[in-house]
C-alpha cells in the first residue's frame, strides 16, 4: 500500500469525503500528517502553499510527513519540501456548473456574490460584481484553476490552456471525478494498492437538496464561458479518467469492483447508522458529529446506532466524523499538548 500521499483538496468537489478516507487510513497505519500551523484547518489558503505553513516543518531538519491533504493553493516546489519524493499526487474535480452553483450557496458572503440575489443574476453581468483585485475573487471564477495554483483570470487561448493542462499532468499522478465517485474510489484503491475498507465512505459535507437549484440552459452556457479555464481542466481530465479506468481496471472488472464497494457501504450503513442515512443538522443528536454550517448551505450529518461497542463503534464513528473534528483529534495525537 502507498503511504506517502499529496491530495489537493479542491473546494466543493466531494473532497471532504476523500479527506475522511485519508484521515482513517493515516490513523489506522500510524502515519504523520502535514497539519496547518497551530492546528488550523487550511494551509494559509488562499496564499500559494509554503512549507513553513506546516506545523513541525523546519528548513534545518529533513523531517517529511506522510500525508498532505488540507486545503491549500498548490505550489509543487514547496510541497516537495514536506513530503517524501515517493509521494503519490492526486486530486478530485467536479463539473464546473455544479461546482459554481455549490460555491454560490456556500460562499454567499464573498464580495462577488454579496450584492446579487441569484447565480443567474450574477452570470448575466459577472463583470459588474466581480473585482479581480479582491482577495476572495476565486470563489466566483475558475475555483479549480485557482486551487491548482493558476490565475483564475488568466489567458484562455488554446496555447495557454495546453500549457496549464500539461503542467497539471506533470505534477499529478491521477485526478478523480466527483460525479463518478464510486468509479473514482475503485481507481483510488487500484492506484494506491489499498484494500476495499480503506476506500469505503459515507458522503460528508454534503448539502440538503432544499438548498440546491438547477440553472436554465442560457445560464449554463454563460457559466461555462465565465469559467472557461475550469471547463478546460474538467473536460480534459474527465477524458483521461476514463482512459485510465479502461487501462488499469477494464470494462469487465469495473462492474464487479463497483458492486463490492456499494455492497460494503450498504453493509456499514446497516451496522452503523440510525435510519436510512444522512439527516439535517438540527436532527444530529451527538454534537461532536455535527458538521460546520456555512453560508446558505445546510450541511447534513449522521446519527450512529445506540449500543455500538469496541472496534465497530470506532470504525462507525470515524466514518461519520466531520473533517474539522477529525482533523483536531489527529492534530492533538500528533502534537500532544505540553504539560505545564
Amino acid at each position: 500500500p502507498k503511504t506517502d500521499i499529496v491530495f489537493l483538496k479542491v473546494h466543493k468537489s466531494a473532497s471532504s469525503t476523500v479527506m475522511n478516507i485519508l484521515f482513517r487510513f493515516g490513523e489506522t497505519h500510524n502515519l504523520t500528517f502535514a497539519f496547518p500551523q497551530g492546528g488550523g484547518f487550511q494551509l494559509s489558503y488562499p496564499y500559494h502553499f509554503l512549507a513553513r505553513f506546516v506545523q513541525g516543518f523546519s528548513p534545518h531538519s529533513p523531517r517529511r510527513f506522510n500525508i498532505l491533504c488540507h486545503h491549500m493553493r498548490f505550489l509543487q516546489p514547496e510541497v516537495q519540501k514536506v513530503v517524501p519524493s515517493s509521494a503519490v499526487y492526486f486530486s478530485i474535480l467536479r463539473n464546473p456548473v455544479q461546482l459554481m452553483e455549490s460555491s454560490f450557496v456556500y460562499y454567499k458572503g464573498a464580495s462577488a456574490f454579496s450584492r446579487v440575489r441569484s447565480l443567474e443574476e450574477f452570470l448575466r453581468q459577472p463583470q459588474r460584481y466581480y473585482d479581480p483585485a479582491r482577495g476572495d475573487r476565486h470563489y466566483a471564477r475558475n475555483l479549480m484553476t485557482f486551487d491548482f495554483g493558476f490565475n483564475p483570470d488568466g489567458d484562455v487561448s488554446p496555447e495557454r490552456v495546453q500549457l496549464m493542462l500539461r503542467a497539471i499532468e506533470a505534477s499529478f499522478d491521477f485526478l478523480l471525478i466527483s460525479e463518478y465517485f464510486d468509479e473514482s474510489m475503485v481507481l483510488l484503491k487500484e492506484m494506491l494498492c489499498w484494500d476495499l475498507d480503506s476506500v469505503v465512505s459515507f458522503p460528508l459535507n454534503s448539502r440538503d437538496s432544499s438548498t440546491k437549484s438547477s440553472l436554465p440552459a442560457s445560464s449554463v452556457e454563460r457559466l461555462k464561458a465565465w469559467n472557461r479555464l475550469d471547463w478546460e481542466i474538467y473536460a480534459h481530465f474527465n477524458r483521461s479518467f476514463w482512459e485510465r479506468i479502461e487501462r488499469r481496471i477494464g470494462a469487465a472488472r469495473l462492474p464487479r469492483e463497483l458492486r463490492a464497494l456499494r455492497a460494503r457501504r450498504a453493509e456499514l450503513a446497516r451496522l452503523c447508522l440510525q435510519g436510512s442515512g444522512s439527516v439535517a443538522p438540527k436532527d444530529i443528536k451527538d454534537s461532536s458529529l455535527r458538521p460546520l454550517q456555512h453560508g446558505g448551505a445546510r450541511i447534513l450529518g449522521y446519527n450512529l446506532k445506540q449500543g455500538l461497542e469496541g472496534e465497530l463503534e470506532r470504525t462507525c464513528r470515524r466514518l461519520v466524523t466531520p473533517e474539522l473534528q477529525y482533523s483536531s483529534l489527529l492534530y492533538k495525537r500528533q502534537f500532544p499538548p505540553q504539560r505545564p
Side-chain angles (χ1 to χ4, degrees), residues 235-251:
H236 177 85
F237 288 103
N238 191 5
R239 280 194 301 274
S240 65
F241 171 79
W242 292 107
E243 289 163 5
R244 193 178 294 274
I245 289 264
E246 179 58 43
R247 205 164 56 242
R248 294 295 299 248
I249 295 151

Side-chain angles (χ1 to χ4, degrees), residues 77-116:
E78 289 291 313
V79 168
Q80 288 169 331
K81 295 176 184 177
V82 299
V83 295
S85 58
S86 58
V88 176
Y89 288 68
F90 78 99
S91 186
I92 187 165
L93 305 175
R94 185 180 185 184
N95 184 309
V97 177
Q98 282 77 48
L99 184 134
M100 192 172 189
E101 187 274 332
S102 177
S103 185
F104 180 81
V105 173
Y106 203 79
Y107 301 112
K108 192 72 184 69
S111 58
F113 296 148
S114 59
R115 293 186 292 127
V116 292

Side-chain angles (χ1 to χ4, degrees), residues 2-9 15-33 66-70 88 90-91 174 176 185 188 192 194 197-201 204 318 326 330:
K2 302 280 194 292
T3 55
D4 298 325
I5 293 157
V6 174
F7 172 57
L8 178 63
K9 189 174 186 284
S15 55
S16 293
T17 307
V18 178
M19 193 181 201
N20 176 272
I21 287 168
L22 295 174
F23 279 167
R24 286 187 285 122
F25 186 85
E27 182 180 20
T28 302
H29 293 83
N30 204 25
L31 304 177
T32 57
F33 291 88
N66 298 116
I67 299 177
L68 176 60
C69 63
H70 287 72
V88 176
F90 78 99
S91 186
F174 59 99
L176 307 175
M185 293 305 98
L188 186 70
L192 299 181
W194 288 6
D197 271 13
S198 296
V199 299
V200 174
S201 63
L204 294 177
R318 292 294 186 261
Y326 206 159
L330 293 173

Side-chain angles (χ1 to χ4, degrees), residues 20 27 314-321 326 329 333:
N20 176 272
E27 182 180 20
R314 202 191 78 84
T315 297
C316 293
R317 181 168 289 277
R318 292 294 186 261
L319 278 162
V320 301
T321 300
Y326 206 159
L329 182 136
R333 185 165 298 168

Side-chain angles (χ1 to χ4, degrees), residues 23 27 95 97 127 167 170 228 243 264 271 294 298 337-338:
F23 279 167
E27 182 180 20
N95 184 309
V97 177
Q127 300 289 6
R228 174 69 187 281
E243 289 163 5
R264 181 60 175 145
L271 289 169
H294 199 284
R298 282 205 306 171
Q338 298 296 310

Side-chain angles (χ1 to χ4, degrees), residues 144-286:
M144 291 191 292
T145 302
F146 184 86
D147 285 353
F148 275 93
F150 301 100
N151 178 7
D153 302 305
D155 180 0
V156 296
S157 69
E159 297 77 22
R160 298 297 296 181
V161 166
Q162 282 306 309
L163 281 173
M164 177 178 71
L165 296 176
R166 283 207 293 275
I168 295 172
E169 283 178 333
S171 297
F172 287 83
D173 295 287
F174 59 99
L175 298 185
L176 307 175
I177 303 289
S178 67
E179 283 78 20
Y180 304 101
F181 191 81
D182 287 357
E183 290 85 349
S184 290
M185 293 305 98
V186 169
L187 182 62
L188 186 70
K189 171 176 166 284
E190 184 79 12
M191 299 297 288
L192 299 181
C193 305
W194 288 6
D195 63 10
L196 180 63
D197 271 13
S198 296
V199 299
V200 174
S201 63
F202 298 143
L204 294 177
N205 206 32
S206 56
R207 274 189 298 155
D208 183 340
S209 58
S210 69
T211 66
K212 296 177 183 176
S213 58
S214 56
L215 292 168
S218 58
S219 292
V220 168
E221 290 311 308
R222 288 191 192 108
L223 189 155
K224 282 156 78 167
W226 176 247
N227 291 293
R228 174 69 187 281
L229 294 172
D230 270 12
W231 190 256
E232 295 282 0
I233 291 173
Y234 181 77
H236 177 85
F237 288 103
N238 191 5
R239 280 194 301 274
S240 65
F241 171 79
W242 292 107
E243 289 163 5
R244 193 178 294 274
I245 289 264
E246 179 58 43
R247 205 164 56 242
R248 294 295 299 248
I249 295 151
R253 181 155 71 94
L254 182 62
R256 290 200 304 275
E257 294 278 356
L258 289 171
R259 277 196 300 275
L261 178 72
R262 289 163 182 163
R264 181 60 175 145
R265 182 189 299 131
E267 182 185 11
L268 284 166
R270 282 194 302 275
L271 289 169
C272 297
L273 303 180
Q274 283 183 34
S276 58
S278 55
V279 297
K282 64 179 175 53
D283 298 323
I284 300 169
K285 299 184 179 78
D286 183 342

